Amino acid sequence: MSDVPEVPPEVGPPVVTPARVVIAVCLVAPFVALLWVGSYTKIDPTFIGVPFFYWYQMLWVLISTVLTMTAYKLWQRDQRTRHGGNR
């Protein structure tokens, strides 16, 4: 007996599905929003005395968390359907 665990063969080649496109958008959106610095390098509007620059970035921490969780759940569902619901 071998100590190497059996790896189930892939069901098929990678496929671009609408769920995978949504996953990609969920994961890319925070990068685009935060790398486009010119869109948030300003002081106004302030929120409870905090300049826009800071609260915009902190808001994206929360948004990124939600988007990453969404992408993860979609990925799990995609893998379950792709492998026939065996997981």
Side-chain angles (χ1 to χ4, degrees), residues 17-32 67 71 74-75:
T17 63
R20 290 183 180 189
V21 172
V22 172
I23 290 168
V25 169
C26 285
L27 295 176
V28 169
F31 288 105
V32 172
L67 290 174
L74 286 172
W75 181 255

Side-chain angles (χ1 to χ4, degrees), residues 21 60 76:
V21 172
W60 269 102
Q76 282 184 325

Side-chain angles (χ1 to χ4, degrees), residues 1 3 24 27 32 34 36 40-41 49-50 55 58 65-66 79-80 82-84:
M1 221 7 114
D3 289 336
L27 295 176
V32 172
L34 292 173
W36 183 24
Y40 62 90
T41 55
V50 178
W55 68 259
M58 295 310 294
T65 302
V66 170
Q79 292 303 303
R80 272 195 306 272
R82 185 169 169 80
H83 293 290

